[in-house]
Amino acid sequence: MRLPHLTPAGLTEEQRDLRERIVGGPRGAGPQHFPLVHEDGSLTGPFGVMLHEPALGAPLQELGSAIRYATGLSARTREIAILAVAAATGCEFETYAHERVGRAVGLTRDELAALADGTFTSADPHEREAHAFCRHLLTGDARLSDDAYAAYAAVLGTTAMTELVVLVGYYRTLAQLLAVHDVGAPPSS
């Protein structure tokens, strides 16, 4: 463990405020498909990392909340995109967390396996193109030819394309934070 778990008793005022925004906001109010809080009161996954740097953690968690709760992406499309990032980055925690969320929004075992190995496809053209677009972004070169841009825009629309670009960037950032600080998935119970 590279960063200590920050328990409520040892938090600064800024850390307490951020912790409250995370657990008291929509993440904490909705269904819990994975735990946000360890038994000792410290936060799990990227949220525990965010607490160490509240000046960056606060806007980062706000961006994540906007991606999760304020975009026009369907829940399935959002989880398809997140799991595409998790697979591309090898992020254990995001795979662990978002496979659970994915199942809750209707992704099947076969779809989850295909997302993990990069072979996902869907009869729904929006889901199929969203996955293909995210995979393109994850290659490291986000540039698109005019024809490719027009093809994605025809199916996804420019708003969803913008939302997906931000989602991929956000979850790639989380994956990097978790990798650098060696935060993996919790042990299986």
Side-chain angles (χ1 to χ4, degrees), residues 1 6 40-41 43 46 49 61 74 81 85 115-116 135 143 174:
M1 185 167 69
L6 298 175
D40 65 2
L43 299 183
V49 175
Q61 86 80 28
S74 74
V85 177
L115 284 162
R135 297 267 305 170
R143 290 176 292 189
L174 295 187

Side-chain angles (χ1 to χ4, degrees), residues 167-179:
L167 180 152
V168 167
Y170 173 77
Y171 279 94
R172 184 181 272 172
T173 297
L174 295 187
Q176 289 174 311
L177 283 172
L178 294 170

Side-chain angles (χ1 to χ4, degrees), residues 6 11 16 26 39 47 51 89 107-108 133 143 147 160 169 184:
L6 298 175
L11 298 179
R16 275 193 304 279
E39 286 183 19
F47 308 111
L51 277 187
T89 60
L107 292 172
T108 67
F133 183 60
R143 290 176 292 189
D147 289 343

Side-chain angles (χ1 to χ4, degrees), residues 40-62:
D40 65 2
S42 64
L43 299 183
T44 64
F47 308 111
V49 175
M50 290 176 194
L51 277 187
H52 283 271
E53 299 297 335
L56 295 174
L60 190 59
Q61 86 80 28
E62 289 294 328

Side-chain angles (χ1 to χ4, degrees), residues 12-188:
T12 67
E13 185 177 333
E14 293 82 13
Q15 290 169 327
R16 275 193 304 279
D17 180 58
L18 175 55
R19 184 184 186 282
E20 180 53 36
R21 283 192 270 169
I22 292 169
V23 299
R27 285 184 184 90
Q32 298 300 301
H33 302 296
F34 62 92
L36 286 174
V37 181
H38 293 289
E39 286 183 19
D40 65 2
S42 64
L43 299 183
T44 64
F47 308 111
V49 175
M50 290 176 194
L51 277 187
H52 283 271
E53 299 297 335
L56 295 174
L60 190 59
Q61 86 80 28
E62 289 294 328
L63 177 59
S65 184
I67 290 166
R68 188 105 186 266
Y69 303 107
T71 69
L73 299 172
S74 74
R76 276 182 56 95
T77 298
R78 183 190 65 243
E79 295 308 314
I80 288 165
I82 294 168
L83 288 166
V85 177
T89 60
C91 187
E92 293 175 12
F93 184 87
E94 295 302 338
T95 299
Y96 153 81
H98 287 279
E99 280 185 349
R100 284 155 178 72
V101 178
R103 280 194 295 275
V105 301
L107 292 172
T108 67
R109 181 181 316 187
D110 289 343
E111 288 173 321
L112 291 170
L115 284 162
D117 69 20
T119 61
F120 178 84
T121 190
S122 175
D124 179 302
H126 195 271
E127 291 179 359
R128 185 177 56 248
E129 289 302 301
H131 182 259
F133 183 60
C134 291
R135 297 267 305 170
H136 172 81
L137 294 172
L138 290 159
T139 65
D141 182 2
R143 290 176 292 189
L144 295 168
S145 69
D146 289 343
D147 289 343
Y149 181 91
Y152 284 126
V155 176
L156 298 171
T158 57
T159 298
M161 288 174 68
T162 301
E163 292 170 342
L164 289 167
V165 169
V166 174
L167 180 152
V168 167
Y170 173 77
Y171 279 94
R172 184 181 272 172
T173 297
L174 295 187
Q176 289 174 311
L177 283 172
L178 294 170
V180 165
H181 297 294
D182 197 25
V183 178
S188 301

